[in-house]
């Protein structure tokens, strides 16, 4: 199908999927850059404003920003020997819910010669659309071009076995309802230990505490209403990064039990008795 091909009713012209889009090129390409840019320009791609080229010769300084740009990149075109840090950046964008279309150099040349279908089309604007799976529970903040993303938190939440650090202190924690648990008691336990337990997911949420049943479903590729709700709330929010740590009901409770062995906290002990009675 070419850019001139019409649909079955001869009414809608299918435009080239590259027209007006933003591209990021990474790696080595067989076609000389001048020729490639000229062909792209002829299809409606502005080389000055719409093409990010990850140089295969430039030495990026530590911490330099490497494309693809998050929200505005429509296509990531991968040539031979692509820049590994640009691929990590692409993966980080996907983590945050921004899904540019990754294509090969050969696929790009097909587009240039009018070989494409409607399935190759992408929206002009990349909408944030996160797709949570179990990998988010075990996600590690990346190191891109020598820069450790210290502002990005890894998951799951790490509990200090020596209790020198309280990982939930002053953290906004989304604690959805857990089956067979008195949530007033459960959230009060969190409050006793310095966390802010919320029944809803907010833009300011730092930690999501999943029930063991929700986590087990997610591990098996099943999203329950809790996971679907997090996706929906994040996608509708103003947040541009998904910077959330996950933890589980069991990991938290195990930490609380061990903590009580070291610190005398009669109020929390009383709450834990109520928690155990309900369980």
């Amino acid at each position: 199908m070419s850019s001139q091909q019409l649909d079955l009713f001869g009414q809608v012209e299918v435009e080239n999927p590259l027209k007006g889009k933003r591209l990021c090129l990474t790696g080595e390409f067989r076609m000389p850059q001048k020729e490639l840019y000229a062909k792209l320009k002829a299809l409606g791609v502005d080389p000055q404003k719409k093409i990010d080229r990850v140089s295969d010769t430039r030495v990026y300084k530590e911490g330099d920003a490497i494309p693809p740009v998050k929200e505005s990149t429509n296509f990531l075109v991968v040539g031979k020997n692509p820049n590994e840090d640009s691929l990590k950046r692409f993966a980080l964008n996907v983590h945050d819910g921004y899904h540019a279309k990754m294509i090969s150099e050969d696929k790009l040349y097909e587009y240039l010669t009018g070989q494409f279908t409607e399935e190759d089309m992408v929206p002009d604007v990349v909408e944030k659309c996160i797709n949570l799976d179990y990998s988010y529970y075990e996600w590690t903040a990346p190191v891109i071009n020598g820069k450790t993303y210290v502002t990005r938190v890894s998951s799951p939440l790490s509990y200090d076995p020596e209790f020198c650090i309280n990982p939930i202190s002053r953290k906004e924690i989304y604690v959805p309802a857990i089956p067979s648990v008195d949530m007033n008691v459960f959230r009060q336990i969190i409050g006793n230990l310095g966390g802010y337990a919320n029944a809803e997911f907010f833009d300011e949420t730092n930690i999501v505490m999943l029930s063991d049943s929700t986590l087990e479903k997610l591990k098996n590729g099943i999203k329950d209403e809790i996971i679907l709700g997090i996706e929906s709330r994040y996608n509708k929010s103003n947040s541009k990064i998904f910077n959330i740590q996950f933890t589980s009901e069991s990991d938290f409770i195990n930490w609380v039990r061990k903590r009580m062995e070291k610190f005398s906290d009669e109020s929390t002990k009383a709450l834990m008795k109520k928690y155990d009675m309900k369980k």
Side-chain angles (χ1 to χ4, degrees):
M1 180 183 290
S2 74
S3 60
Q4 301 301 316
Q5 186 169 355
L6 306 182
D7 70 2
L8 293 175
F9 300 98
Q11 295 175 341
V12 180
E13 182 178 354
V14 180
E15 294 183 331
N16 193 291
L18 299 174
K19 183 178 180 180
K21 303 302 191 295
R22 187 183 190 107
L23 279 63
C24 176
L25 310 179
T26 181
E28 305 165 9
F29 291 81
R30 299 188 299 274
M31 186 179 294
Q33 179 171 303
K34 184 176 181 180
E35 181 183 351
L36 177 57
Y37 280 24
K39 289 181 179 294
L40 289 169
K41 185 175 182 180
L43 289 177
V45 180
D46 186 339
Q48 298 299 320
K49 299 180 180 179
K50 295 287 188 176
I51 298 180
D52 296 311
R53 187 74 164 92
V54 183
S55 174
D56 55 359
T57 57
R58 171 186 167 187
V59 177
Y60 288 91
K61 298 178 182 177
E62 181 176 334
D64 280 354
I66 296 179
V69 178
K70 182 178 292 184
E71 301 96 320
S72 57
T73 299
N74 302 107
F75 288 99
L76 173 67
V77 188
V78 181
K80 182 180 179 182
N81 299 322
N83 182 295
E84 292 299 323
D85 286 310
S86 69
L87 298 182
K88 290 180 183 179
R89 176 68 204 194
F90 175 82
L92 182 59
N93 293 350
V94 172
H95 175 84
D96 292 330
Y98 297 94
H99 301 268
K101 190 179 183 71
M102 181 187 290
I103 62 173
S104 66
E105 177 184 9
D106 289 336
K107 177 62 69 174
L108 174 65
Y109 295 155
E110 289 179 9
Y111 290 173
L112 292 178
T113 57
Q115 301 178 62
F116 56 86
T117 69
E118 290 188 21
E119 294 182 354
D120 295 307
M121 305 301 291
V122 299
D124 291 336
V125 178
V126 178
E127 299 287 349
K128 181 177 62 177
C129 185
I130 201 168
N131 182 19
L132 295 177
D133 58 25
Y134 189 73
S135 68
Y136 279 80
Y137 189 84
E138 297 184 322
W139 188 74
T140 301
V143 177
I144 301 178
N145 194 32
K147 176 184 177 183
T148 303
Y149 277 65
V150 295
T151 57
R152 294 300 191 103
V153 293
S154 298
S155 190
L157 182 68
S158 178
Y159 292 97
D160 178 13
E162 301 300 323
F163 307 103
C164 296
I165 298 174
N166 182 345
I168 69 168
S169 178
R170 305 181 66 83
K171 298 293 180 64
E172 296 288 347
I173 307 172
Y174 172 41
V175 190
I178 301 174
S180 302
V181 170
D182 185 328
M183 294 310 297
N184 289 328
V185 169
F186 192 79
R187 293 187 178 113
Q188 185 57 55
I189 293 172
I190 293 172
N192 272 20
L193 298 176
Y196 305 117
N198 305 310
E200 296 182 40
F201 182 91
F202 299 110
D203 286 4
E204 298 78 18
T205 295
N206 306 118
I207 299 168
V208 171
M209 190 171 294
L210 299 177
S211 69
D212 295 338
S213 60
T214 291
L215 185 57
E216 185 63 24
K217 290 175 185 175
L218 191 61
K219 186 180 292 187
N220 292 308
I222 301 171
K223 300 181 185 181
D224 65 9
E225 68 278 2
I226 301 303
I227 299 300
L228 293 174
I230 294 172
E231 287 182 344
S232 177
R233 294 181 187 112
Y234 171 73
N235 289 335
K236 293 176 181 177
S237 74
N238 294 321
S239 300
K240 290 190 175 182
I241 63 173
F242 190 78
N243 201 27
I244 299 294
Q245 284 180 299
F246 287 95
T247 189
S248 70
E249 171 194 1
S250 288
D251 283 353
F252 170 69
I253 290 297
N254 289 338
W255 175 73
V256 174
R257 294 191 195 283
K258 293 176 182 177
R259 189 178 189 278
M260 288 192 303
E261 294 174 1
K262 185 170 184 178
F263 300 104
S264 179
D265 183 347
E266 296 303 323
S267 174
T268 302
K269 286 181 179 178
L271 288 168
M272 282 297 295
K273 286 182 179 179
K274 292 182 179 181
Y275 168 84
D276 289 331
M277 288 176 61
K278 184 70 175 179
K279 292 290 284 187

